[in-house]
Amino acid sequence: DISRNCMILETVDDLTTCLETILADKNVKVERIKNRMGMGYDTSETGGYRDVCVNLRVVNKESVGLGSDLHVCEVQLLLVQFAHLKSTKGHQRYVASRNVSGN
């Protein structure tokens, strides 16, 4: 990812509202949503870490004029309870697990 940001939210309702706001924005083209918060998601793959990862592009007159409308950004939405798992060691566990699984 060239551009990645994280939004830490207090509650599931906050996370849902944030995602709905992104989806409703007419200047945003969502390319992919990876829901690691879903009940069917196997957290053993990520060392217990959960988030909702949104890959998006900003598409409007300005971004088209600048040629940046093709730039895909990643926004990670996560709950405060999972933020501590994103520490250096937590992220290292996730990367190691991802590399082993090939995802």
Side-chain angles (χ1 to χ4, degrees):
D1 303 312
I2 293 175
S3 176
R4 179 185 307 143
N5 286 290
C6 177
M7 295 182 69
I8 299 172
L9 302 141
E10 293 289 328
T11 67
V12 172
D13 286 341
D14 293 341
L15 190 147
T16 301
T17 299
C18 183
L19 181 59
E20 289 171 345
T21 301
I22 292 169
L23 293 171
D25 190 324
K26 65 180 182 176
N27 294 302
V28 173
K29 168 74 170 121
V30 173
E31 297 294 333
R32 179 178 76 159
I33 298 175
K34 186 183 279 189
N35 183 5
R36 294 186 190 113
M37 295 291 290
M39 295 298 290
Y41 183 74
D42 182 3
T43 60
S44 67
E45 296 179 10
T46 57
Y49 177 80
R50 289 180 174 266
D51 69 5
V52 175
C53 179
V54 182
N55 295 115
L56 60 84
R57 295 183 296 122
V58 175
V59 181
N60 57 27
K61 183 179 176 181
E62 292 81 10
S63 67
V64 170
L66 292 169
S68 62
D69 58 308
L70 299 177
H71 177 84
V72 177
C73 306
E74 180 176 287
V75 179
Q76 298 170 341
L77 309 177
L78 69 144
L79 297 175
V80 69
Q81 300 96 310
F82 295 106
H84 73 279
L85 292 175
K86 204 172 171 170
S87 68
T88 302
K89 291 187 183 209
H91 187 68
Q92 288 171 349
R93 284 192 308 270
Y94 164 71
V95 170
S97 174
R98 181 189 64 195
N99 290 344
V100 166
S101 70
N103 291 332

